[in-house]
Amino acid sequence: MTQQGAVLQGYNNELVKCIEDLCMQKEELNKQIQQAEEEKSKLQHEIQVLSEQLEYVCENLAQKVASRNELDKLLAETEAAYMKILDSSRSLLNVLKKEVGSLKHSPDLKTN
């Protein structure tokens, strides 16, 4: 019986060793899970921060595009008005040249 007791004791020792190994594996896995959860939380926070930054940049970009469109419109209107002024100035200059030309040929303005 002593031999059977010794065999049983050997099995018991192996069983305890296996249980201890499993407990160590579980502890290591728990550490890895904790690290993964911390990394997940960190990444979720970064995503939230980046999403907020993206929203701000998109809003800012939309405002700038709207401002640029308004400036384009104002610039086009101003250039059109300036072209009208140039045309009017040219027309006025032509009329003035004709009048001056006809005045030079007028007998009343000739000096003796």
PDB file of all heavy atoms in Angstrom, residues 22-42:
ATOM      1  N   LEU A  22      -1.669  26.438 -14.409  1.00  0.00           N
ATOM      2  CA  LEU A  22      -2.880  27.038 -14.965  1.00  0.00           C
ATOM      3  C   LEU A  22      -3.194  28.380 -14.304  1.00  0.00           C
ATOM      4  O   LEU A  22      -3.605  29.323 -14.967  1.00  0.00           O
ATOM      5  CB  LEU A  22      -4.074  26.080 -14.815  1.00  0.00           C
ATOM      6  CG  LEU A  22      -4.062  24.847 -15.733  1.00  0.00           C
ATOM      7  CD1 LEU A  22      -5.220  23.924 -15.381  1.00  0.00           C
ATOM      8  CD2 LEU A  22      -4.140  25.273 -17.190  1.00  0.00           C
ATOM      9  N   CYS A  23      -2.988  28.448 -12.986  1.00  0.00           N
ATOM     10  CA  CYS A  23      -3.219  29.710 -12.268  1.00  0.00           C
ATOM     11  C   CYS A  23      -2.254  30.789 -12.758  1.00  0.00           C
ATOM     12  O   CYS A  23      -2.655  31.948 -12.937  1.00  0.00           O
ATOM     13  CB  CYS A  23      -3.074  29.512 -10.763  1.00  0.00           C
ATOM     14  SG  CYS A  23      -4.459  28.617 -10.024  1.00  0.00           S
ATOM     15  N   MET A  24      -1.016  30.438 -13.017  1.00  0.00           N
ATOM     16  CA  MET A  24      -0.042  31.406 -13.527  1.00  0.00           C
ATOM     17  C   MET A  24      -0.427  31.859 -14.936  1.00  0.00           C
ATOM     18  O   MET A  24      -0.322  33.045 -15.264  1.00  0.00           O
ATOM     19  CB  MET A  24       1.367  30.801 -13.502  1.00  0.00           C
ATOM     20  CG  MET A  24       1.938  30.706 -12.094  1.00  0.00           C
ATOM     21  SD  MET A  24       3.564  29.905 -11.922  1.00  0.00           S
ATOM     22  CE  MET A  24       4.434  30.335 -13.365  1.00  0.00           C
ATOM     23  N   GLN A  25      -0.873  30.916 -15.757  1.00  0.00           N
ATOM     24  CA  GLN A  25      -1.317  31.270 -17.102  1.00  0.00           C
ATOM     25  C   GLN A  25      -2.516  32.224 -17.042  1.00  0.00           C
ATOM     26  O   GLN A  25      -2.612  33.173 -17.807  1.00  0.00           O
ATOM     27  CB  GLN A  25      -1.690  30.021 -17.900  1.00  0.00           C
ATOM     28  CG  GLN A  25      -0.494  29.185 -18.328  1.00  0.00           C
ATOM     29  CD  GLN A  25      -0.912  27.920 -19.072  1.00  0.00           C
ATOM     30  OE1 GLN A  25      -2.074  27.722 -19.398  1.00  0.00           O
ATOM     31  NE2 GLN A  25       0.061  27.062 -19.330  1.00  0.00           N
ATOM     32  N   LYS A  26      -3.429  31.930 -16.095  1.00  0.00           N
ATOM     33  CA  LYS A  26      -4.600  32.790 -15.942  1.00  0.00           C
ATOM     34  C   LYS A  26      -4.169  34.187 -15.520  1.00  0.00           C
ATOM     35  O   LYS A  26      -4.671  35.187 -16.042  1.00  0.00           O
ATOM     36  CB  LYS A  26      -5.557  32.200 -14.908  1.00  0.00           C
ATOM     37  CG  LYS A  26      -6.788  33.052 -14.670  1.00  0.00           C
ATOM     38  CD  LYS A  26      -7.660  32.475 -13.565  1.00  0.00           C
ATOM     39  CE  LYS A  26      -8.778  33.452 -13.221  1.00  0.00           C
ATOM     40  NZ  LYS A  26      -9.570  33.017 -12.099  1.00  0.00           N
ATOM     41  N   GLU A  27      -3.237  34.294 -14.560  1.00  0.00           N
ATOM     42  CA  GLU A  27      -2.756  35.599 -14.119  1.00  0.00           C
ATOM     43  C   GLU A  27      -2.106  36.367 -15.275  1.00  0.00           C
ATOM     44  O   GLU A  27      -2.336  37.563 -15.439  1.00  0.00           O
ATOM     45  CB  GLU A  27      -1.755  35.436 -12.973  1.00  0.00           C
ATOM     46  CG  GLU A  27      -2.390  35.056 -11.656  1.00  0.00           C
ATOM     47  CD  GLU A  27      -1.356  34.864 -10.549  1.00  0.00           C
ATOM     48  OE1 GLU A  27      -0.272  35.494 -10.613  1.00  0.00           O
ATOM     49  OE2 GLU A  27      -1.643  34.093  -9.625  1.00  0.00           O
ATOM     50  N   GLU A  28      -1.308  35.667 -16.080  1.00  0.00           N
ATOM     51  CA  GLU A  28      -0.663  36.312 -17.229  1.00  0.00           C
ATOM     52  C   GLU A  28      -1.710  36.770 -18.230  1.00  0.00           C
ATOM     53  O   GLU A  28      -1.631  37.884 -18.763  1.00  0.00           O
ATOM     54  CB  GLU A  28       0.323  35.345 -17.895  1.00  0.00           C
ATOM     55  CG  GLU A  28       1.041  35.917 -19.103  1.00  0.00           C
ATOM     56  CD  GLU A  28       1.868  37.156 -18.794  1.00  0.00           C
ATOM     57  OE1 GLU A  28       2.394  37.298 -17.670  1.00  0.00           O
ATOM     58  OE2 GLU A  28       1.987  38.007 -19.702  1.00  0.00           O
ATOM     59  N   LEU A  29      -2.700  35.924 -18.465  1.00  0.00           N
ATOM     60  CA  LEU A  29      -3.774  36.290 -19.391  1.00  0.00           C
ATOM     61  C   LEU A  29      -4.568  37.471 -18.853  1.00  0.00           C
ATOM     62  O   LEU A  29      -4.937  38.378 -19.611  1.00  0.00           O
ATOM     63  CB  LEU A  29      -4.689  35.087 -19.636  1.00  0.00           C
ATOM     64  CG  LEU A  29      -5.682  35.203 -20.782  1.00  0.00           C
ATOM     65  CD1 LEU A  29      -4.983  35.541 -22.086  1.00  0.00           C
ATOM     66  CD2 LEU A  29      -6.490  33.930 -20.919  1.00  0.00           C
ATOM     67  N   ASN A  30      -4.806  37.514 -17.546  1.00  0.00           N
ATOM     68  CA  ASN A  30      -5.496  38.654 -16.934  1.00  0.00           C
ATOM     69  C   ASN A  30      -4.702  39.946 -17.136  1.00  0.00           C
ATOM     70  O   ASN A  30      -5.274  41.003 -17.420  1.00  0.00           O
ATOM     71  CB  ASN A  30      -5.752  38.420 -15.446  1.00  0.00           C
ATOM     72  CG  ASN A  30      -6.949  37.539 -15.180  1.00  0.00           C
ATOM     73  OD1 ASN A  30      -7.842  37.426 -16.021  1.00  0.00           O
ATOM     74  ND2 ASN A  30      -6.978  36.893 -14.025  1.00  0.00           N
ATOM     75  N   LYS A  31      -3.378  39.872 -16.997  1.00  0.00           N
ATOM     76  CA  LYS A  31      -2.531  41.041 -17.241  1.00  0.00           C
ATOM     77  C   LYS A  31      -2.655  41.500 -18.696  1.00  0.00           C
ATOM     78  O   LYS A  31      -2.758  42.696 -18.975  1.00  0.00           O
ATOM     79  CB  LYS A  31      -1.067  40.735 -16.915  1.00  0.00           C
ATOM     80  CG  LYS A  31      -0.763  40.624 -15.446  1.00  0.00           C
ATOM     81  CD  LYS A  31       0.700  40.293 -15.221  1.00  0.00           C
ATOM     82  CE  LYS A  31       0.990  40.026 -13.755  1.00  0.00           C
ATOM     83  NZ  LYS A  31       2.396  39.620 -13.544  1.00  0.00           N
ATOM     84  N   GLN A  32      -2.621  40.558 -19.627  1.00  0.00           N
ATOM     85  CA  GLN A  32      -2.733  40.887 -21.046  1.00  0.00           C
ATOM     86  C   GLN A  32      -4.101  41.501 -21.351  1.00  0.00           C
ATOM     87  O   GLN A  32      -4.201  42.456 -22.133  1.00  0.00           O
ATOM     88  CB  GLN A  32      -2.501  39.649 -21.904  1.00  0.00           C
ATOM     89  CG  GLN A  32      -1.069  39.150 -21.860  1.00  0.00           C
ATOM     90  CD  GLN A  32      -0.888  37.827 -22.600  1.00  0.00           C
ATOM     91  OE1 GLN A  32      -1.821  37.285 -23.180  1.00  0.00           O
ATOM     92  NE2 GLN A  32       0.330  37.307 -22.570  1.00  0.00           N
ATOM     93  N   ILE A  33      -5.152  40.949 -20.734  1.00  0.00           N
ATOM     94  CA  ILE A  33      -6.501  41.488 -20.922  1.00  0.00           C
ATOM     95  C   ILE A  33      -6.568  42.907 -20.392  1.00  0.00           C
ATOM     96  O   ILE A  33      -7.116  43.803 -21.048  1.00  0.00           O
ATOM     97  CB  ILE A  33      -7.558  40.588 -20.239  1.00  0.00           C
ATOM     98  CG1 ILE A  33      -7.696  39.269 -21.012  1.00  0.00           C
ATOM     99  CG2 ILE A  33      -8.901  41.290 -20.129  1.00  0.00           C
ATOM    100  CD1 ILE A  33      -8.541  38.222 -20.313  1.00  0.00           C
ATOM    101  N   GLN A  34      -5.998  43.144 -19.216  1.00  0.00           N
ATOM    102  CA  GLN A  34      -5.992  44.490 -18.626  1.00  0.00           C
ATOM    103  C   GLN A  34      -5.260  45.470 -19.532  1.00  0.00           C
ATOM    104  O   GLN A  34      -5.728  46.587 -19.770  1.00  0.00           O
ATOM    105  CB  GLN A  34      -5.354  44.446 -17.228  1.00  0.00           C
ATOM    106  CG  GLN A  34      -5.286  45.778 -16.528  1.00  0.00           C
ATOM    107  CD  GLN A  34      -6.663  46.338 -16.195  1.00  0.00           C
ATOM    108  OE1 GLN A  34      -7.608  45.587 -15.956  1.00  0.00           O
ATOM    109  NE2 GLN A  34      -6.777  47.646 -16.193  1.00  0.00           N
ATOM    110  N   GLN A  35      -4.113  45.045 -20.054  1.00  0.00           N
ATOM    111  CA  GLN A  35      -3.359  45.913 -20.964  1.00  0.00           C
ATOM    112  C   GLN A  35      -4.156  46.204 -22.236  1.00  0.00           C
ATOM    113  O   GLN A  35      -4.172  47.338 -22.716  1.00  0.00           O
ATOM    114  CB  GLN A  35      -2.016  45.259 -21.322  1.00  0.00           C
ATOM    115  CG  GLN A  35      -1.020  45.242 -20.187  1.00  0.00           C
ATOM    116  CD  GLN A  35       0.248  44.459 -20.528  1.00  0.00           C
ATOM    117  OE1 GLN A  35       0.281  43.690 -21.492  1.00  0.00           O
ATOM    118  NE2 GLN A  35       1.283  44.634 -19.721  1.00  0.00           N
ATOM    119  N   ALA A  36      -4.815  45.179 -22.759  1.00  0.00           N
ATOM    120  CA  ALA A  36      -5.612  45.364 -23.970  1.00  0.00           C
ATOM    121  C   ALA A  36      -6.785  46.298 -23.702  1.00  0.00           C
ATOM    122  O   ALA A  36      -7.119  47.151 -24.548  1.00  0.00           O
ATOM    123  CB  ALA A  36      -6.110  44.018 -24.496  1.00  0.00           C
ATOM    124  N   GLU A  37      -7.417  46.172 -22.549  1.00  0.00           N
ATOM    125  CA  GLU A  37      -8.529  47.057 -22.197  1.00  0.00           C
ATOM    126  C   GLU A  37      -8.052  48.500 -22.042  1.00  0.00           C
ATOM    127  O   GLU A  37      -8.723  49.434 -22.484  1.00  0.00           O
ATOM    128  CB  GLU A  37      -9.224  46.573 -20.921  1.00  0.00           C
ATOM    129  CG  GLU A  37     -10.063  45.325 -21.124  1.00  0.00           C
ATOM    130  CD  GLU A  37     -10.661  44.759 -19.841  1.00  0.00           C
ATOM    131  OE1 GLU A  37     -10.225  45.167 -18.739  1.00  0.00           O
ATOM    132  OE2 GLU A  37     -11.555  43.907 -19.952  1.00  0.00           O
ATOM    133  N   GLU A  38      -6.869  48.682 -21.442  1.00  0.00           N
ATOM    134  CA  GLU A  38      -6.301  50.020 -21.303  1.00  0.00           C
ATOM    135  C   GLU A  38      -5.981  50.610 -22.672  1.00  0.00           C
ATOM    136  O   GLU A  38      -6.251  51.790 -22.940  1.00  0.00           O
ATOM    137  CB  GLU A  38      -5.049  49.992 -20.426  1.00  0.00           C
ATOM    138  CG  GLU A  38      -5.344  49.723 -18.955  1.00  0.00           C
ATOM    139  CD  GLU A  38      -4.096  49.493 -18.119  1.00  0.00           C
ATOM    140  OE1 GLU A  38      -2.965  49.551 -18.667  1.00  0.00           O
ATOM    141  OE2 GLU A  38      -4.251  49.241 -16.909  1.00  0.00           O
ATOM    142  N   GLU A  39      -5.402  49.791 -23.552  1.00  0.00           N
ATOM    143  CA  GLU A  39      -5.086  50.255 -24.908  1.00  0.00           C
ATOM    144  C   GLU A  39      -6.362  50.599 -25.668  1.00  0.00           C
ATOM    145  O   GLU A  39      -6.421  51.607 -26.365  1.00  0.00           O
ATOM    146  CB  GLU A  39      -4.302  49.167 -25.659  1.00  0.00           C
ATOM    147  CG  GLU A  39      -3.877  49.557 -27.063  1.00  0.00           C
ATOM    148  CD  GLU A  39      -2.817  50.643 -27.108  1.00  0.00           C
ATOM    149  OE1 GLU A  39      -2.180  50.950 -26.087  1.00  0.00           O
ATOM    150  OE2 GLU A  39      -2.641  51.213 -28.203  1.00  0.00           O
ATOM    151  N   LYS A  40      -7.381  49.778 -25.512  1.00  0.00           N
ATOM    152  CA  LYS A  40      -8.672  50.035 -26.155  1.00  0.00           C
ATOM    153  C   LYS A  40      -9.244  51.363 -25.675  1.00  0.00           C
ATOM    154  O   LYS A  40      -9.695  52.183 -26.474  1.00  0.00           O
ATOM    155  CB  LYS A  40      -9.648  48.897 -25.845  1.00  0.00           C
ATOM    156  CG  LYS A  40     -11.043  49.113 -26.382  1.00  0.00           C
ATOM    157  CD  LYS A  40     -11.978  47.999 -25.904  1.00  0.00           C
ATOM    158  CE  LYS A  40     -13.413  48.320 -26.222  1.00  0.00           C
ATOM    159  NZ  LYS A  40     -14.352  47.370 -25.654  1.00  0.00           N
ATOM    160  N   SER A  41      -9.209  51.576 -24.366  1.00  0.00           N
ATOM    161  CA  SER A  41      -9.736  52.815 -23.797  1.00  0.00           C
ATOM    162  C   SER A  41      -8.951  54.014 -24.314  1.00  0.00           C
ATOM    163  O   SER A  41      -9.529  55.049 -24.677  1.00  0.00           O
ATOM    164  CB  SER A  41      -9.672  52.747 -22.273  1.00  0.00           C
ATOM    165  OG  SER A  41     -10.100  53.946 -21.699  1.00  0.00           O
ATOM    166  N   LYS A  42      -7.650  53.875 -24.360  1.00  0.00           N
ATOM    167  CA  LYS A  42      -6.784  54.952 -24.860  1.00  0.00           C
ATOM    168  C   LYS A  42      -7.110  55.264 -26.318  1.00  0.00           C
ATOM    169  O   LYS A  42      -7.250  56.431 -26.706  1.00  0.00           O
ATOM    170  CB  LYS A  42      -5.322  54.533 -24.718  1.00  0.00           C
ATOM    171  CG  LYS A  42      -4.329  55.532 -25.247  1.00  0.00           C
ATOM    172  CD  LYS A  42      -2.915  54.990 -25.135  1.00  0.00           C
ATOM    173  CE  LYS A  42      -1.952  55.861 -25.902  1.00  0.00           C
ATOM    174  NZ  LYS A  42      -0.625  55.257 -26.042  1.00  0.00           N
TER     175      LYS A  42
END
